[in-house]
């Protein structure tokens, strides 16, 4: 069993634990009040299956039972987990999500066996020490971006990551569904997006400067039923799925499928294929009415699939050369009286901001969407550092902080020569643990616009799920604590204490089958000798 002092992310307050406690066994019953059904189902299907406990329905007063209830005196997503000897286990949540997060903490208290899929010691009685844990999140948005466009992750992999997110109390999955290298969501009115756009003929291995290629075709996509399943599975774990459909840059896969979407007066878009390498692609969408209508059709189907308040439209890394050379684009700039190509991009993004707002949704995009002006209701994902987030918050826009200098998990974890396909600056477990999402200098009313934070997993150099595991873990555990817990200032954080708690957490990750980076460095099968990366030396500039 585990004490409350080994919980990740760290809870707000723990009273106890003491030696006495509650034993869970075949006779333990589960009572669930209205509003707690998702946690009731999860406890039986996941925790019950792992430990061989049936958790049969029983009366609220059952001695030694487990009780679930909503208590609106607690805050959103907050919970109180009480383990009282001779009385049982009670989880009170400020809302259904709070009850669920309390159940995640109970799972950790039961030890690593609770993270398996079936019991390894049938008939065991599982003890939980007597204690009371009171907890709640610092941020409303605690996110993970999965880039399934560069390397496709089959549906089962996405469902697995939703379970891993739930285990760390993360609640937003940002699903990066389209890019130059692939289109991953079925759009029924535009079937060539997946017939053509979801497959590339080969793939660059490593950084774009690498001479190596994987000559096998790569691709795949999610059917609309797959997406519905992913969204429903996430909702059962109180996770929101935010889709990203990139416009107007990062769009070569779409242009390869429908050449008329590109700048046909500048390049022969019919000769383009789904891109097989990495970097910033010059082939961007044409700023025409036909392009707008096409993507309105795309977004109509996306809105029917995803229930999230926010829809991500990308908006980053959109080269302007084709627009500068395009008579069509220049005519549109003149017709609308725009301030050059930056104004044209702002107009493009602004169109979809208005379109989404009219349908009760909110646009969010990368911090480049600030250039040329931003509509009032739009939110910003600040990735190039803090500056975009600061500017957005001061202008009254909501912000998700995800600066690459701290929370881009494709960046390498160590400076050693054995680190596989080393990308970017060294970002250690401690670096992530000392990340502070709210930049200094924001006034309280400005800081209130920081919705939360997100770790981003870009998969150019992650060719399979094992590589994703290696890059994401254990750093996601540190990030989860930053996003959930009310930690001291970065320089005052107890990283040594976090490392001690990670000893127990590594056992949980082992039970879950996570191929994390060991503290001592990569295992032989985790290395990628000879595959060129792009390491950058020194301390990253924090802007």
């Amino acid at each position: 069993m585990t004490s409350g002092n080994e919980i990740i992310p760290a809870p707000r307050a723990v009273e106890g634990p003491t030696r006495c406690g509650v034993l869970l066994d075949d006779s333990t019953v589960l009572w669930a009040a209205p509003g707690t059904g998702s946690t009731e189902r999860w406890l039986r299907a996941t925790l019950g299956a792992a430990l061989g406990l049936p958790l049969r329905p029983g009366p609220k007063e059952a001695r030694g039972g487990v009780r679930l209830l909503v208590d609106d005196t607690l805050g959103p997503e907050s919970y109180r987990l009480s383990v009282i000897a001779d009385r049982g286990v009670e989880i009170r949540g400020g809302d259904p999500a709070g009850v669920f997060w309390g159940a995640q903490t109970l799972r950790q208290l039961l030890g690593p066996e609770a993270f398996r899929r079936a019991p390894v010691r049938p008939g065991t009685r599982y003890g939980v020490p007597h204690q009371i844990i009171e907890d709640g999140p610092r941020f409303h948005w605690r996110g993970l971006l999965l880039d399934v466009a560069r390397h496709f992750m089959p549906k089962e992999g996405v469902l697995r990551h939703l379970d891993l997110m739930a285990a760390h109390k993360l609640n937003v999955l940002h699903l990066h569904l389209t890019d130059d290298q692939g289109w991953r969501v079925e759009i029924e009115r535009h079937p060539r997006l997946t017939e053509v756009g979801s497959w590339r003929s080969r793939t660059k291995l490593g950084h774009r400067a690498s001479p190596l290629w994987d000559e096998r075709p790569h691709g795949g996509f999610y059917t609309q039923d797959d997406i519905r399943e992913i969204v429903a599975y996430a909702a059962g774990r109180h996770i929101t799925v935010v889709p990203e459909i990139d416009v107007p840059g990062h769009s070569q896969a779409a242009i390869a499928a429908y050449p008329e979407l590109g700048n046909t007066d500048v390049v022969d878009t019919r000769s383009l294929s789904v891109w097989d390498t990495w970097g910033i692609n010059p082939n961007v969408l044409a700023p025409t009415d036909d392009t707008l209508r096409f993507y309105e059709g795309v977004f109509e189907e996306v809105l029917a699939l995803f229930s999230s308040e926010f829809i991500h439209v990308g908006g980053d890394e959109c080269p302007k050369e084709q627009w500068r050379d395009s008579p069509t684009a220049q005519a549109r700039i003149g017709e609308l009286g725009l301030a050059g190509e930056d104004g044209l991009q702002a107009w493009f993004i602004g169109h979809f901001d208005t379109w989404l707002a009219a349908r009760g949704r909110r646009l969010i995009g990368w911090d480049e969407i600030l250039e040329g002006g931003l509509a009032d209701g739009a939110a910003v994902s600040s990735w190039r550092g803090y500056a975009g987030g600061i500017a957005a918050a001061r202008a009254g826009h909501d912000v998700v902080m995800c600066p690459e200098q701290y929370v881009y998990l494709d960046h390498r974890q160590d400076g050693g020569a054995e680190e596989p396909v080393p990308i970017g600056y060294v970002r250690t477990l401690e670096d992530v643990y000392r990340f502070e999402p709210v930049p200094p200098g924001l006034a309280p009313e400005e800081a209130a616009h920081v919705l939360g934070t997100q770790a981003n997993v870009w998969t150019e150099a992650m060719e399979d799920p094992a590589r994703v595991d290696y890059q994401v873990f254990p750093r996601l555990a540190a990030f989860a604590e930053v996003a959930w817990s009310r930690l001291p200032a970065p320089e005052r954080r107890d990283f040594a204490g976090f490392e001690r708690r990670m000893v127990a957490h590594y056992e949980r990750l082992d039970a879950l089958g996570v191929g994390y980076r060991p503290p001592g460095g990569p295992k032989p099968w985790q290395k990628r000798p000879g595959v060129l990366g792009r390491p950058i030396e020194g301390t990253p500039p924090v802007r």
Side-chain angles (χ1 to χ4, degrees):
M1 69 184 75
T2 303
S3 77
N5 295 328
E6 294 175 310
I7 299 301
I8 290 177
R12 184 189 305 159
V14 180
E15 180 185 318
T18 62
R19 285 178 177 267
C20 59
V22 174
L23 289 174
L24 304 184
D25 58 23
D26 286 351
S27 66
T28 301
V29 299
L30 173 61
W31 177 84
T36 65
S38 60
T39 302
E40 178 187 16
R41 290 187 292 273
W42 182 87
L43 281 170
R44 289 201 178 97
T46 303
L47 199 60
L51 302 179
L53 303 178
L55 297 175
R56 298 180 183 89
K60 181 179 180 180
E61 300 78 14
R63 188 172 179 177
V66 178
R67 295 181 297 280
L68 310 176
L69 63 158
V70 174
D71 181 347
D72 59 11
T73 66
L74 301 174
E77 297 191 87
S78 297
Y79 67 88
R80 180 185 295 117
L81 170 61
S82 303
V83 183
I84 308 297
D86 298 325
R87 290 180 55 190
V89 177
E90 179 179 275
I91 304 174
R92 291 176 176 262
D95 53 17
V99 179
F100 184 73
W101 303 132
Q104 298 304 314
T105 296
L106 174 62
R107 187 189 198 185
Q108 291 197 22
L109 295 178
L110 286 162
E113 289 181 14
F115 290 80
R116 296 189 178 276
R117 291 179 181 266
V120 293
R121 295 174 183 84
T124 299
R125 305 176 75 193
Y126 295 92
V128 187
H130 176 109
Q131 60 196 299
I132 298 174
I133 298 175
E134 296 193 2
D135 201 8
R138 179 184 179 192
F139 291 110
H140 170 66
W141 186 302
R142 306 180 303 279
L144 174 70
L145 177 145
L146 277 180
D147 170 19
V148 297
R150 271 52 175 273
H151 277 99
F152 179 63
M153 179 178 288
K155 178 193 67 179
E156 288 302 319
V158 176
L159 301 181
R160 172 177 177 265
H161 276 274
L162 286 166
D163 281 331
L164 293 172
M165 289 175 64
H168 292 84
K169 300 185 175 76
L170 299 174
N171 69 342
V172 177
L173 173 63
H174 176 167
L175 207 53
H176 183 75
L177 289 165
T178 74
D179 216 296
D180 301 301
Q181 296 86 2
W183 186 284
R184 307 295 179 211
V185 56
E186 177 188 26
I187 303 297
E188 291 178 347
R189 74 189 68 187
H190 302 307
R192 286 176 59 82
L193 287 172
T194 46
E195 290 171 359
V196 174
S198 70
W199 290 90
R200 58 179 182 262
S201 61
R202 63 176 187 170
T203 300
K204 174 68 70 174
L205 278 179
H207 183 252
R208 60 181 175 272
S210 167
L212 303 177
W213 295 88
D214 182 344
E215 297 292 348
R216 297 173 298 176
H218 176 85
F221 66 93
Y222 308 112
T223 67
Q224 294 202 359
D225 278 349
D226 290 338
I227 293 293
R228 293 183 184 100
E229 180 181 354
I230 288 168
V231 170
Y233 194 85
R237 286 145 185 80
H238 298 276
I239 296 171
T240 299
V241 184
V242 174
E244 180 178 350
I245 305 294
D246 255 308
V247 296
H250 287 289
S251 297
Q252 183 161 317
I255 297 169
Y258 292 93
E260 64 272 19
L261 295 174
N263 295 283
T264 57
D265 54 352
V266 178
V267 295
D268 178 10
T269 56
R270 294 170 300 178
S271 68
L272 297 177
S273 58
V274 178
W275 213 26
D276 57 11
T277 190
W278 320 121
I280 299 176
N281 189 299
N283 295 298
V284 302
L285 297 175
T288 65
D289 290 340
D290 287 344
T291 299
L292 296 180
R293 299 294 88 76
F294 182 97
Y295 273 87
E296 286 172 1
V298 169
F299 281 116
E300 282 179 4
E301 296 193 27
V302 167
L303 296 190
L305 295 170
F306 295 90
S307 57
S308 55
E309 174 186 4
F310 288 97
I311 303 295
H312 209 292
V313 301
D316 62 315
E317 297 179 332
C318 178
K320 308 298 192 295
E321 287 80 8
Q322 289 186 0
W323 287 352
R324 278 194 281 271
D325 295 338
S326 164
T328 302
Q330 292 302 310
R332 174 126 280 182
I333 290 171
E335 167 198 336
L336 298 171
L338 301 174
E341 290 77 26
D342 285 345
L344 188 60
Q345 176 163 342
W347 165 82
F348 200 108
I349 296 297
H351 173 86
F352 286 104
D353 180 73
T354 302
W355 189 90
L356 288 167
R359 289 154 180 81
R361 306 296 183 97
R362 293 180 64 189
L363 179 145
I364 187 169
W366 302 110
D367 54 59
E368 286 95 330
I369 69 174
L370 289 163
E371 298 163 6
L374 186 58
D376 289 343
V380 170
S381 301
S382 187
W383 75 275
R384 292 180 295 179
Y386 287 112
I390 292 170
R394 287 179 173 163
H397 295 285
D398 288 338
V399 179
V400 175
M401 295 302 303
C402 46
E404 62 174 330
Q405 298 91 339
Y406 282 99
V407 291
Y408 267 35
L409 300 185
D410 51 318
H411 285 207
R412 57 193 173 133
Q413 302 183 65
D414 187 84
E418 295 183 332
E419 207 63 25
V421 199
I423 301 295
Y425 293 97
V426 172
R427 296 287 82 191
T428 65
L429 184 66
E430 182 172 1
D431 290 327
V432 174
Y433 191 68
R434 297 194 188 279
F435 165 55
E436 172 50 49
V438 179
L442 288 181
E445 64 274 12
E446 295 166 344
H449 283 290
V450 179
L451 298 176
T453 183
Q454 180 172 287
N456 293 344
V457 183
W458 300 106
T459 62
E460 289 96 330
M462 301 182 210
E463 74 280 5
D464 57 37
R467 280 285 292 129
V468 175
D469 273 14
Y470 180 90
Q471 291 298 131
V472 171
F473 292 97
R475 291 183 295 181
L476 193 70
F479 172 79
E481 185 147 310
V482 168
W484 176 275
S485 307
R486 288 164 172 80
L487 298 176
E491 66 277 6
R492 293 172 39 228
R493 292 178 188 171
D494 181 11
F495 179 67
F498 175 77
E499 282 191 304
R500 284 192 295 273
R501 285 182 286 125
M502 279 300 299
V503 173
H505 202 64
Y506 284 124
E507 294 183 10
R508 299 168 193 143
L509 296 178
D510 286 333
L512 286 166
V514 177
Y516 58 84
R517 181 190 188 276
K523 297 177 180 178
W525 55 88
Q526 293 174 319
K527 301 173 186 178
R528 295 292 186 277
V531 181
L532 184 68
R534 185 181 62 92
I536 306 174
E537 302 302 330
T539 302
V542 179
R543 301 180 295 275

